[in-house]
């Protein structure tokens, strides 16, 4: 059974930081690019960031988070991370990690159909 479990969400003041983790099981994590998506209240899914299957490989970011968020992975631990710095109120959302359908394919899409699995999500609230 494939599982993706996010953790690390919470309430933070504007300008603050959080680190999200996504612990995975049930598939060959090191063979897949991995993705973070988010959904703000009343809005659709938004692609946030993608990391290549290889540790230290290419990373990609939405313009809205570039320079503030950092995606990384630990293939030995089957875990994906997202470091969120300089948080803004508009970053308030449920953050999901996602597994694409095909191995090695780098996906940068807000379309839910591009992903085989999403985790249950971690709520990040940025508020003073």
């Amino acid at each position: 059974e494939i599982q993706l479990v996010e953790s690390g969400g919470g309430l933070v003041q504007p300008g603050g930081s959080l680190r999200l983790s996504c612990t995975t099981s049930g598939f060959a994590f090191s063979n897949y690019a991995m993705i973070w998506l988010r959904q703000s209240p009343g809005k659709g899914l938004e692609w946030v960031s993608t990391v290549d299957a290889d540790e230290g490989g290419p990373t990609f970011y939405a313009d809205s988070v570039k320079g503030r968020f950092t995606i990384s992975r630990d293939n030995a631990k089957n875990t994906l991370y997202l470091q969120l710095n300089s948080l803004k109120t508009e970053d308030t959302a449920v953050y999901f990690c996602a597994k694409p359908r095909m191995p090695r394919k780098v996906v940068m899409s807000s379309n839910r159909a591009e992903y085989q699995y999403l985790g249950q999500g971690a709520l990040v609230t940025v508020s003073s």
Side-chain angles (χ1 to χ4, degrees), residues 5-12 17-22 36 82 84 87 95 120-125:
V5 180
E6 299 92 341
S7 60
L11 174 64
V12 62
S17 297
L18 281 175
R19 189 193 197 202
L20 303 181
S21 299
C22 172
W36 285 100
L82 187 68
L84 294 72
L87 281 161
Y95 285 73
Q120 85 288 350
L123 177 61
V124 173
T125 303

Side-chain angles (χ1 to χ4, degrees), residues 43-71:
K43 297 185 178 180
L45 270 179
E46 177 189 10
W47 171 73
V48 174
S49 183
T50 298
V51 62
D52 186 68
D54 297 329
E55 283 192 45
T59 56
F60 308 89
Y61 298 93
D63 288 344
S64 58
V65 307
K66 197 173 296 182
R68 300 188 298 120
F69 291 7
T70 303
I71 191 171

